[in-house]
Amino acid sequence: TVMNRLNHLKETLLTNLKDCREDDNIEFLILDYNSNDGLEKWMQENISNFDNKVTYYRTTEAQYYNRSHSRNIIFRLA
């Protein structure tokens, strides 16, 4: 779950995807919890080569980050 943490995701996601490319049992679920830092655009531009490994969801309802709520959403989506 991510809200306005694009810089952190940039540091980790692509490296993790490359490291796990050969493992068919790994999938990354990303919940954009109403980020306003360009996360949606960055995901569209950078995950196309990893479509089978990444599932991206976005909600626009949250005004503030709520750890429990965001995790409940992503667990249900999983």
Side-chain angles (χ1 to χ4, degrees):
T1 63
V2 182
M3 183 181 211
N4 298 324
R5 297 226 160 191
L6 176 57
N7 287 335
H8 293 126
L9 200 67
K10 284 180 177 179
E11 291 177 12
T12 59
L13 183 59
L14 294 178
T15 299
N16 287 332
L17 285 166
K18 289 175 186 173
D19 290 346
C20 299
R21 185 175 279 205
E22 301 298 320
D23 191 338
D24 293 335
N25 295 316
I26 294 177
E27 178 184 7
F28 293 85
L29 300 166
I30 307 295
L31 173 61
D32 179 346
Y33 201 66
N34 201 20
S35 295
N36 60 13
D37 61 354
L39 176 63
E40 182 176 26
K41 182 179 178 186
W42 186 84
M43 290 293 291
Q44 291 170 349
E45 293 172 351
N46 290 279
I47 64 164
S48 61
N49 292 333
F50 304 100
D51 284 337
N52 61 333
K53 293 281 185 197
V54 178
T55 303
Y56 173 77
Y57 300 100
R58 178 172 171 81
T59 181
T60 58
E61 296 176 10
Q63 292 183 3
Y64 304 100
Y65 188 74
N66 182 315
R67 183 178 180 188
S68 298
H69 183 251
S70 64
R71 287 187 178 192
N72 285 337
I73 291 172
I74 200 66
F75 289 150
R76 286 184 184 150
L77 291 168

